[in-house]
Amino acid sequence: MNTPAAAITNLTVSCIGAGRLGTTLCRLLLDQQSDINVSIGQVLNNSFESSLEAVEFIGAGTAVKDSQRLNPADIWMITTPDDAVQEVCEALSGSGVLAPGNIVLHCSGALSSKIIRLPSEQCYRASVHPIHSFADPETSLSSFAGSSCAVEGDPEAKVLLNKLFSSIGGNCFPVKSGTKALYHAATVMACNNLVALLTMSKQMLAEADIDQSQQDQILNPLIRQTVDNYLNNADPAAVLTGPISRGDHNTVEAHLDALSAQRHWRDAYTALGETAVSIAQQQGYASDDELEKIVNLLTKTPDY
Ligand SMILES: NC(=O)c1ccc[n+]([C@@H]2O[C@H](COP(=O)([O-])OP(=O)(O)OC[C@H]3O[C@@H](n4cnc5c(N)ncnc54)[C@H](OP(=O)(O)O)[C@@H]3O)[C@@H](O)[C@H]2O)c1
């Protein structure tokens, strides 16, 4: 594949690690209707049975037993779990099948393309992280369109991958190699850690002797209202309420005392509280003096 990326019309994509994400992307790429014609080459999973199942779901491609049986392809999609990406790249390099102009990409959120070590400078490396939950591939086939995709790596690879992932409905945006882990941590904060935060809140209610059904009644409308307000306002200063917004330092002190029995509750409260203080500073409801007292409370080392 030595043709400039923008001029390519026929591509073979082979997939190593065709699990939930890999099978979905292969099928979407196969079915896309852009001016690039994609064929699925080979599929290599841990077990041959799994490779056969992946080929059946994709509806194209050939299952292979090991990396020594790989045939040439234009794009190598490594969609194993993150921890296997490096070892798979080494096996791919060692197989001798890579050719100049090939693109090797992975789909990890936290890793950059630099983890892909190739013998030849003439192969291009990239990562494309779709912000989508591929829990059920069949469902993802219809729900993938509209998902954002963070694209990073060699410029030659990015041109083509932006085009390919856009053709399956991805909203491609660039991310820098050096900030990939931070970018991914941000998405984890908004998604996974939000679930953890809400769970923590329920645990506190349980500790305060409030039963399960009441917990839902108390929290669910509050969560919905807060998330709606947040999503409908570009400025968090228009949304934040509560003791930090008002400068109620005595209330914050009482909270910290109440939370001190559970170190991780207190740590989460103080870490998020510091960001709340910076929002409160923009709001201007609380005085500088009140906010300074709150910062002192939040940053004071507790006596555990
Ligand atoms: N799932 C998501 O929602 C999602 C979203 C965004 C990004 N990602 C990223 O996408 C990648 C894949 O995630 P996934 O959820 O699709 O994983 P998955 O469903 O667990 O599938 C992983 C696949 O990799 C294969 N595999 C594991 N080690 C291998 C090796 N050494 N050589 C060849 N194949 C190997 C497995 O084969 P066997 O079946 O034989 O074990 C399996 O088919 C990860 O980098 C992840 O961070 C996932």
Side-chain angles (χ1 to χ4, degrees):
M1 197 182 75
N2 283 319
T3 322
I8 287 166
T9 49
N10 284 302
L11 280 175
T12 301
V13 176
S14 280
C15 183
I16 305 182
R20 285 162 291 188
L21 172 139
T23 52
T24 310
L25 290 183
C26 282
R27 174 109 163 249
L28 288 171
L29 287 170
L30 183 70
D31 291 346
Q32 53 82 32
Q33 302 288 327
S34 74
D35 55 354
I36 306 173
N37 179 35
V38 172
S39 9
I40 302 301
Q42 290 168 303
V43 172
L44 172 61
N45 285 0
N46 248 335
S47 77
F48 186 57
E49 290 69 28
S50 168
S51 307
L52 288 169
E53 280 169 28
V55 164
E56 195 181 333
F57 177 84
I58 297 165
T62 311
V64 274
K65 288 190 170 155
D66 59 67
S67 56
Q68 293 307 313
R69 295 167 206 248
L70 289 169
N71 295 328
D74 302 302
I75 297 187
W76 298 91
M77 220 163 58
I78 299 174
T79 52
T80 60
D82 292 12
D83 288 350
V85 170
Q86 201 166 1
E87 142 207 337
V88 164
C89 286
E90 280 163 19
L92 180 61
S93 296
S95 72
V97 74
L98 289 174
N102 280 186
I103 292 173
V104 182
L105 75 131
H106 67 68
C107 291
S108 159
L111 301 174
S112 83
S113 58
K114 297 212 184 311
I115 194 153
I116 302 173
R117 296 211 186 87
L118 303 174
S120 160
E121 288 295 313
Q122 293 162 306
C123 290
Y124 304 121
R125 303 172 301 172
S127 71
V128 180
H129 177 238
I131 306 176
H132 179 94
S133 173
F134 292 86
D136 173 34
E138 196 63 56
T139 307
S140 286
L141 289 177
S142 50
S143 60
F144 178 80
S147 304
S148 291
C149 296
V151 183
E152 166 282 322
D154 293 330
E156 297 83 350
K158 287 194 290 187
V159 171
L160 184 62
L161 293 173
N162 277 325
K163 212 170 160 183
L164 270 184
F165 278 79
S166 300
S167 78
I168 59 172
N171 291 325
C172 296
F173 68 96
V175 62
K176 291 181 185 155
S177 308
T179 61
K180 249 209 109 177
L182 183 60
Y183 142 79
H184 189 240
T187 62
V188 167
M189 285 292 278
C191 177
N192 317 119
N193 285 359
L194 184 58
V195 175
L197 184 69
L198 298 178
T199 304
M200 193 182 271
S201 172
K202 279 197 174 176
Q203 289 166 347
M204 290 175 188
L205 289 181
E207 186 70 16
D209 269 342
I210 294 170
D211 70 32
Q212 171 87 49
S213 64
Q214 280 177 312
Q215 291 168 23
D216 291 341
Q217 265 177 25
I218 294 166
L219 287 183
N220 291 359
L222 190 64
I223 294 164
R224 281 199 191 94
Q225 192 190 0
T226 309
V227 171
D228 276 354
N229 283 347
Y230 186 84
L231 295 179
N232 292 331
N233 273 288
D235 182 7
V239 180
L240 185 76
T241 56
I244 293 183
S245 169
R246 289 189 299 271
D248 276 343
H249 51 90
N250 289 328
T251 303
V252 173
E253 189 167 23
H255 289 171
L256 291 172
D257 282 347
L259 295 172
S260 58
Q262 293 282 355
R263 188 182 187 142
H264 64 295
W265 290 355
R266 192 185 188 283
D267 288 349
Y269 185 99
T270 57
L272 294 171
E274 285 192 67
T275 298
V277 168
S278 68
I279 300 169
Q281 281 164 341
Q282 294 164 38
Q283 291 180 309
Y285 300 133
S287 69
D288 289 348
D289 184 45
E290 285 163 339
L291 290 178
E292 195 184 326
K293 282 183 183 152
I294 291 176
V295 170
N296 289 340
L297 288 167
L298 295 173
T299 53
K300 193 177 148 201
T301 310
D303 312 317
Y304 286 119

